[in-house]
Amino acid sequence: MKNIFAIIVFTLTTCLGFAQNKGKALLDEVSEKVKTYENISIDFKYTLENLSENIKQETRGDVVMQGEKYKLNILGVTQLFDGNKLYLISSEDEEVTITSQNEDEEDAITPSKMLSFYEEGYTYQLDIQQNIQGRKIQYVKLIPIDSNSELKSILLGIDAQTKHIYNLIQIGKNGSKTTLTVNSFKTNQPISKTLFTFDTKKYQDYYINNLD
């Protein structure tokens, strides 16, 4: 095949390599900019869709990140990661579940990994550019290298001006589609020194489920 269509293959390979390099370069630019921030505060909308199962769920949440540490509020549950332990705090159930965060789950995009998860395990390709409410959003398509991954692809929308992530669209092989859209992106905000510290005194009446 290569001998017969040498010119076509060369052209396609060159174009794909160019697109992949430009896509990776854009994501690297985003990552390098993010690393300059002391902390990041994001308000977002999270949507889960599965047309075959007739499912569509929407919710809002917020997260504060500082390095690997984060505090995430979503679906009535607070997720607090202090860099070592993950605390799942449910006010409705009055329960706290404590565990070591499993970094072996490569498909799991945690808040602390949201802006850097793509650095390994994916091929990259520039996708479409859209004008959304006056903002130019450049999409980069990520395809898992691991054929056993439950993910089919990921689209990362990057604001061409600010170089911040606008949204993340994750497509599963089971037909599911999850979209995280950033409504507010703030950096270097004044935060409490104990924001990422679990205070047992506040949860004395809660059931503590320590899985470690």
Side-chain angles (χ1 to χ4, degrees), residues 123-177:
T123 59
Y124 315 88
Q125 186 174 354
L126 279 183
D127 208 87
I128 63 173
Q129 184 179 93
Q130 291 185 331
N131 191 314
I132 301 178
Q133 297 179 344
R135 300 166 64 186
K136 289 184 178 180
I137 306 300
Q138 174 64 60
Y139 284 92
V140 179
K141 187 174 185 178
L142 289 73
I143 300 176
I145 295 174
D146 183 2
S147 59
N148 295 320
S149 172
E150 296 181 358
L151 297 179
K152 182 178 180 181
S153 63
I154 296 173
L155 281 172
L156 268 178
I158 310 297
D159 187 309
Q161 181 178 0
T162 65
K163 297 300 187 295
H164 291 163
I165 291 179
Y166 167 72
N167 66 352
L168 181 152
I169 304 170
Q170 184 172 285
I171 309 296
K173 290 181 178 178
N174 63 354
S176 64
K177 175 182 176 182

Side-chain angles (χ1 to χ4, degrees), residues 40-205:
I40 299 173
S41 301
I42 297 175
D43 291 328
F44 61 87
K45 180 175 73 172
Y46 181 85
T47 305
L48 169 64
E49 298 176 85
N50 192 317
L51 297 180
S52 62
E53 300 292 336
N54 196 29
I55 295 175
K56 183 171 182 178
Q57 301 174 342
E58 289 188 0
T59 188
R60 292 182 178 273
D62 61 83
V63 61
V64 179
M65 297 177 285
Q66 186 175 54
E68 290 297 311
K69 301 177 182 180
Y70 64 82
K71 184 175 183 179
L72 168 68
N73 297 300
I74 190 170
L75 296 172
V77 175
T78 296
Q79 297 184 27
L80 179 66
F81 184 58
D82 61 8
N84 182 35
K85 298 288 185 178
L86 177 64
Y87 302 85
L88 303 180
I89 306 168
S90 173
S91 298
E92 181 178 351
D93 299 327
E94 294 190 342
E95 181 178 353
V96 178
T97 300
I98 306 174
T99 183
S100 296
Q101 182 159 300
N102 188 358
E103 297 293 344
D104 294 331
E105 297 179 6
E106 295 184 358
D107 288 347
I109 301 176
T110 63
S112 59
K113 290 162 60 180
M114 178 185 169
L115 304 174
S116 62
F117 73 92
Y118 60 82
E119 293 177 351
E120 295 181 357
Y122 298 90
T123 59
Y124 315 88
Q125 186 174 354
L126 279 183
D127 208 87
I128 63 173
Q129 184 179 93
Q130 291 185 331
N131 191 314
I132 301 178
Q133 297 179 344
R135 300 166 64 186
K136 289 184 178 180
I137 306 300
Q138 174 64 60
Y139 284 92
V140 179
K141 187 174 185 178
L142 289 73
I143 300 176
I145 295 174
D146 183 2
S147 59
N148 295 320
S149 172
E150 296 181 358
L151 297 179
K152 182 178 180 181
S153 63
I154 296 173
L155 281 172
L156 268 178
I158 310 297
D159 187 309
Q161 181 178 0
T162 65
K163 297 300 187 295
H164 291 163
I165 291 179
Y166 167 72
N167 66 352
L168 181 152
I169 304 170
Q170 184 172 285
I171 309 296
K173 290 181 178 178
N174 63 354
S176 64
K177 175 182 176 182
T178 57
T179 304
L180 189 152
T181 303
V182 175
N183 295 322
S184 173
F185 189 104
K186 299 179 181 179
T187 62
N188 300 335
Q189 299 295 295
I191 61 175
S192 169
K193 293 182 179 180
T194 60
L195 180 64
F196 307 108
T197 302
F198 179 72
D199 187 354
T200 55
K201 296 179 181 178
K202 294 182 179 179
Y203 305 99
Q204 292 181 351
D205 296 330

